[in-house]
Amino acid sequence: MTDSPLKTKLQSCENGPFSVTGFSIGHRGGGTLQIPEESMQSEQAGARMGAGILECDVSFTNDMQLVCRHSLCDLHTTTDILTRPALAAKCTVPFTPANATSPATAICCTSDITLAEYGTLCSKMDGFNASAKNPQDYQHGTPSFRADEYNTCATPLSLNQYIDLVDSFPGYRNFTPELKTPPSQVPMPFKGVYTQQQYARDIIEAFIKKGIDPARVWTQSFNPPDIFQWIKEYPAFGAQALYLDESGDDGPANFSAAVARLPSLKAQGVNLISPPINYLLTYCDATNRTIYPSSYATTAKAAGLDIVAWTFERSGPLYNVKNTGDYYYQSFNQAVNHDGQLYEILDILANQIGIKGIFTDWAATVSYFGNCFGLTGPVGGSYYKPGM
């Protein structure tokens, strides 16, 4: 980091004390820079690094059971399914080797297999080798800025296993399950009977059956009808649901519309908005590269919405952000050029905008910052008023 009051403040905290903080939200578990995502081991790593809220992205299996997987159709890149012939034969799109004109392809979905079959898989770092001639070679391809040292047979989790695991961690950890919208390969209603609405209910019912206090559960969805359904049917859960907003992608007009819609979302009962980092920050110009809060950030705060951002350390090294067009930095990529600025970005998000928490791929970084500044994260239960 460049010498600054922020650097001095962070250095002053090097000996702690440290505790669990809800400001640090373990993305796909919280250890995903080094450990296969959505696995037991990633959740354990996130917990050890102080994340107070741990994520499970929720997909469903062929027998309509709920599991932790970032996409319904990513098993071919996040598990060893293609090396299991009996299970690989069930994939939506079987493995096809690369040839002179086409890359290797496969599509394997959680909905292709049962919960019991899912539990036999090994989770691996997300990646694939597009030049592969066989399923074994297809397993490679971890991005260079993530590590393979722990890319062994990590343990996949069902939603129920995730709930039990997080509930067992010391320090009172909370939950953030994300309802994954099925891709086109998995038409809904699934098998003609399993609707999106029932899928949304099943996530909440899993926590109710486990006796988990709604104040500990921060449900998420990119699909507004899911959020409104939870607000109506499960108000104690819906009151602190995170609306994951990516409606401002793909151009200035969409971004302006996303900003304009924020007050109406609050009026419809949404209390927490969860946009990507790039929605919240902008910079002055090529001469003055000061980063400052965007119109989205200021409008959300003015509307009374609390903000939870995503995703910290999801990208590669910042020295090359100007040239890569990285999603998370696209609104201010000309103003960053080294990794020391990550804490500067976090400082603007936390101490100027006042975000309540941030999803992170390596929870220790955000946990350190949160402890140093006394940030506790969103307060469970404070969003729900009986009778609302």
Short mmCIF file of all heavy atoms in Angstrom, two decimals, residues 58-85:
data_model
loop_
_atom_site.label_atom_id
_atom_site.label_comp_id
_atom_site.label_asym_id
_atom_site.label_seq_id
_atom_site.Cartn_x
_atom_site.Cartn_y
_atom_site.Cartn_z
N VAL A 58 -27.69 -22.40 -3.90
CA VAL A 58 -28.57 -23.57 -3.83
C VAL A 58 -29.08 -23.97 -5.21
O VAL A 58 -29.74 -23.19 -5.90
CB VAL A 58 -29.76 -23.31 -2.89
CG1 VAL A 58 -30.63 -24.56 -2.77
CG2 VAL A 58 -29.27 -22.89 -1.51
N SER A 59 -28.77 -25.21 -5.59
CA SER A 59 -29.27 -25.84 -6.81
C SER A 59 -30.07 -27.08 -6.41
O SER A 59 -30.07 -27.47 -5.24
CB SER A 59 -28.11 -26.21 -7.73
OG SER A 59 -27.37 -25.07 -8.12
N PHE A 60 -30.74 -27.70 -7.38
CA PHE A 60 -31.51 -28.91 -7.05
C PHE A 60 -31.07 -30.08 -7.91
O PHE A 60 -30.56 -29.91 -9.02
CB PHE A 60 -33.02 -28.68 -7.15
CG PHE A 60 -33.53 -28.26 -8.51
CD1 PHE A 60 -33.75 -29.20 -9.51
CD2 PHE A 60 -33.80 -26.93 -8.78
CE1 PHE A 60 -34.23 -28.81 -10.76
CE2 PHE A 60 -34.28 -26.52 -10.03
CZ PHE A 60 -34.49 -27.48 -11.02
N THR A 61 -31.26 -31.27 -7.37
CA THR A 61 -30.88 -32.50 -8.04
C THR A 61 -32.05 -33.10 -8.80
O THR A 61 -33.17 -32.58 -8.76
CB THR A 61 -30.37 -33.52 -7.01
OG1 THR A 61 -31.41 -33.76 -6.05
CG2 THR A 61 -29.12 -33.00 -6.30
N ASN A 62 -31.79 -34.22 -9.46
CA ASN A 62 -32.83 -34.88 -10.25
C ASN A 62 -34.01 -35.33 -9.40
O ASN A 62 -35.15 -35.35 -9.87
CB ASN A 62 -32.24 -36.07 -11.01
CG ASN A 62 -33.21 -36.66 -12.01
OD1 ASN A 62 -33.91 -37.62 -11.73
ND2 ASN A 62 -33.25 -36.07 -13.21
N ASP A 63 -33.73 -35.67 -8.14
CA ASP A 63 -34.81 -36.06 -7.23
C ASP A 63 -35.27 -34.87 -6.39
O ASP A 63 -35.88 -35.03 -5.34
CB ASP A 63 -34.41 -37.24 -6.34
CG ASP A 63 -33.05 -37.08 -5.69
OD1 ASP A 63 -32.33 -36.12 -6.02
OD2 ASP A 63 -32.70 -37.92 -4.85
N MET A 64 -35.00 -33.66 -6.89
CA MET A 64 -35.51 -32.40 -6.33
C MET A 64 -35.11 -32.20 -4.88
O MET A 64 -35.89 -31.76 -4.04
CB MET A 64 -37.03 -32.32 -6.52
CG MET A 64 -37.42 -32.12 -7.99
SD MET A 64 -39.16 -32.36 -8.38
CE MET A 64 -39.25 -34.15 -8.56
N GLN A 65 -33.84 -32.51 -4.61
CA GLN A 65 -33.22 -32.22 -3.33
C GLN A 65 -32.25 -31.06 -3.52
O GLN A 65 -31.75 -30.82 -4.62
CB GLN A 65 -32.50 -33.45 -2.78
CG GLN A 65 -33.41 -34.67 -2.60
CD GLN A 65 -34.50 -34.41 -1.59
OE1 GLN A 65 -34.24 -34.03 -0.45
NE2 GLN A 65 -35.74 -34.62 -2.00
N LEU A 66 -31.97 -30.32 -2.45
CA LEU A 66 -31.21 -29.09 -2.56
C LEU A 66 -29.75 -29.29 -2.17
O LEU A 66 -29.45 -29.93 -1.14
CB LEU A 66 -31.85 -28.00 -1.70
CG LEU A 66 -33.31 -27.69 -2.04
CD1 LEU A 66 -33.84 -26.57 -1.16
CD2 LEU A 66 -33.49 -27.36 -3.52
N VAL A 67 -28.85 -28.73 -2.99
CA VAL A 67 -27.41 -28.88 -2.78
C VAL A 67 -26.71 -27.55 -2.99
O VAL A 67 -27.27 -26.61 -3.56
CB VAL A 67 -26.82 -29.94 -3.75
CG1 VAL A 67 -27.42 -31.31 -3.50
CG2 VAL A 67 -27.02 -29.53 -5.21
N CYS A 68 -25.47 -27.46 -2.53
CA CYS A 68 -24.67 -26.24 -2.67
C CYS A 68 -23.83 -26.33 -3.95
O CYS A 68 -22.89 -27.11 -4.03
CB CYS A 68 -23.74 -26.07 -1.47
SG CYS A 68 -24.59 -25.86 0.11
N ARG A 69 -24.19 -25.51 -4.92
CA ARG A 69 -23.47 -25.49 -6.19
C ARG A 69 -23.75 -24.15 -6.84
O ARG A 69 -24.90 -23.71 -6.88
CB ARG A 69 -23.95 -26.64 -7.09
CG ARG A 69 -23.13 -26.94 -8.30
CD ARG A 69 -21.68 -27.21 -8.07
NE ARG A 69 -21.34 -27.91 -6.83
CZ ARG A 69 -20.11 -28.07 -6.38
NH1 ARG A 69 -19.09 -27.60 -7.07
NH2 ARG A 69 -19.88 -28.70 -5.24
N HIS A 70 -22.73 -23.46 -7.34
CA HIS A 70 -22.91 -22.10 -7.83
C HIS A 70 -23.84 -22.02 -9.02
O HIS A 70 -24.52 -21.01 -9.23
CB HIS A 70 -21.57 -21.47 -8.20
CG HIS A 70 -21.70 -20.04 -8.59
ND1 HIS A 70 -21.62 -19.60 -9.90
CD2 HIS A 70 -21.96 -18.93 -7.85
CE1 HIS A 70 -21.81 -18.31 -9.94
NE2 HIS A 70 -22.01 -17.86 -8.72
N SER A 71 -23.89 -23.05 -9.82
CA SER A 71 -24.81 -23.10 -10.95
C SER A 71 -25.38 -24.50 -11.04
O SER A 71 -24.69 -25.47 -10.72
CB SER A 71 -24.10 -22.74 -12.25
OG SER A 71 -24.90 -23.05 -13.38
N LEU A 72 -26.62 -24.60 -11.48
CA LEU A 72 -27.17 -25.94 -11.69
C LEU A 72 -26.33 -26.72 -12.69
O LEU A 72 -26.27 -27.95 -12.62
CB LEU A 72 -28.62 -25.86 -12.19
CG LEU A 72 -29.71 -25.92 -11.12
CD1 LEU A 72 -29.83 -24.61 -10.38
CD2 LEU A 72 -31.04 -26.34 -11.71
N CYS A 73 -25.69 -26.02 -13.61
CA CYS A 73 -25.00 -26.71 -14.70
C CYS A 73 -23.51 -26.36 -14.74
O CYS A 73 -22.98 -25.91 -15.77
CB CYS A 73 -25.67 -26.40 -16.03
SG CYS A 73 -27.35 -27.08 -16.16
N ASP A 74 -22.82 -26.59 -13.62
CA ASP A 74 -21.37 -26.38 -13.61
C ASP A 74 -20.60 -27.60 -13.11
O ASP A 74 -19.39 -27.51 -12.86
CB ASP A 74 -21.00 -25.14 -12.78
CG ASP A 74 -21.18 -25.33 -11.28
OD1 ASP A 74 -21.54 -26.43 -10.82
OD2 ASP A 74 -20.96 -24.35 -10.54
N LEU A 75 -21.24 -28.73 -13.00
CA LEU A 75 -20.56 -29.91 -12.46
C LEU A 75 -19.37 -30.33 -13.31
O LEU A 75 -18.40 -30.90 -12.80
CB LEU A 75 -21.53 -31.09 -12.32
CG LEU A 75 -22.66 -30.95 -11.30
CD1 LEU A 75 -23.47 -32.24 -11.25
CD2 LEU A 75 -22.12 -30.61 -9.92
N HIS A 76 -19.42 -30.07 -14.60
CA HIS A 76 -18.33 -30.47 -15.49
C HIS A 76 -17.06 -29.65 -15.25
O HIS A 76 -15.96 -30.09 -15.61
CB HIS A 76 -18.75 -30.36 -16.96
CG HIS A 76 -19.35 -29.04 -17.32
ND1 HIS A 76 -20.56 -28.61 -16.84
CD2 HIS A 76 -18.89 -28.05 -18.13
CE1 HIS A 76 -20.83 -27.41 -17.33
NE2 HIS A 76 -19.83 -27.04 -18.11
N THR A 77 -17.18 -28.46 -14.65
CA THR A 77 -16.00 -27.64 -14.37
C THR A 77 -15.65 -27.56 -12.89
O THR A 77 -14.55 -27.14 -12.54
CB THR A 77 -16.18 -26.20 -14.90
OG1 THR A 77 -17.23 -25.54 -14.18
CG2 THR A 77 -16.48 -26.20 -16.38
N THR A 78 -16.55 -27.96 -12.00
CA THR A 78 -16.31 -27.82 -10.56
C THR A 78 -16.24 -29.15 -9.82
O THR A 78 -16.02 -29.17 -8.61
CB THR A 78 -17.40 -26.95 -9.89
OG1 THR A 78 -18.67 -27.63 -9.99
CG2 THR A 78 -17.49 -25.59 -10.54
N THR A 79 -16.44 -30.26 -10.52
CA THR A 79 -16.33 -31.59 -9.91
C THR A 79 -15.64 -32.54 -10.88
O THR A 79 -15.36 -32.18 -12.03
CB THR A 79 -17.71 -32.18 -9.53
OG1 THR A 79 -18.38 -32.64 -10.72
CG2 THR A 79 -18.59 -31.18 -8.81
N ASP A 80 -15.45 -33.76 -10.42
CA ASP A 80 -14.80 -34.78 -11.26
C ASP A 80 -15.82 -35.66 -11.98
O ASP A 80 -15.50 -36.78 -12.37
CB ASP A 80 -13.87 -35.64 -10.42
CG ASP A 80 -14.61 -36.45 -9.35
OD1 ASP A 80 -15.80 -36.16 -9.08
OD2 ASP A 80 -14.01 -37.38 -8.78
N ILE A 81 -17.03 -35.18 -12.20
CA ILE A 81 -18.10 -36.01 -12.76
C ILE A 81 -17.73 -36.64 -14.09
O ILE A 81 -18.11 -37.79 -14.38
CB ILE A 81 -19.42 -35.20 -12.89
CG1 ILE A 81 -20.59 -36.14 -13.24
CG2 ILE A 81 -19.28 -34.07 -13.90
CD1 ILE A 81 -21.95 -35.49 -13.16
N LEU A 82 -16.95 -35.94 -14.92
CA LEU A 82 -16.63 -36.48 -16.24
C LEU A 82 -15.68 -37.67 -16.18
O LEU A 82 -15.56 -38.42 -17.15
CB LEU A 82 -16.03 -35.38 -17.13
CG LEU A 82 -17.00 -34.27 -17.57
CD1 LEU A 82 -16.26 -33.22 -18.37
CD2 LEU A 82 -18.17 -34.84 -18.35
N THR A 83 -15.03 -37.85 -15.04
CA THR A 83 -14.15 -39.01 -14.88
C THR A 83 -14.88 -40.18 -14.23
O THR A 83 -14.27 -41.22 -13.96
CB THR A 83 -12.92 -38.66 -14.02
OG1 THR A 83 -13.33 -38.38 -12.68
CG2 THR A 83 -12.20 -37.45 -14.61
N ARG A 84 -16.17 -40.02 -13.99
CA ARG A 84 -17.02 -41.08 -13.44
C ARG A 84 -17.94 -41.55 -14.55
O ARG A 84 -19.01 -40.95 -14.77
CB ARG A 84 -17.85 -40.56 -12.27
CG ARG A 84 -17.10 -39.79 -11.19
CD ARG A 84 -16.30 -40.70 -10.28
NE ARG A 84 -15.72 -39.97 -9.17
CZ ARG A 84 -16.26 -39.88 -7.95
NH1 ARG A 84 -17.42 -40.47 -7.70
NH2 ARG A 84 -15.65 -39.21 -7.00
N PRO A 85 -17.59 -42.58 -15.30
CA PRO A 85 -18.34 -42.94 -16.52
C PRO A 85 -19.85 -43.10 -16.31
O PRO A 85 -20.64 -42.63 -17.14
CB PRO A 85 -17.69 -44.26 -16.94
CG PRO A 85 -16.29 -44.16 -16.44
CD PRO A 85 -16.39 -43.44 -15.13
#
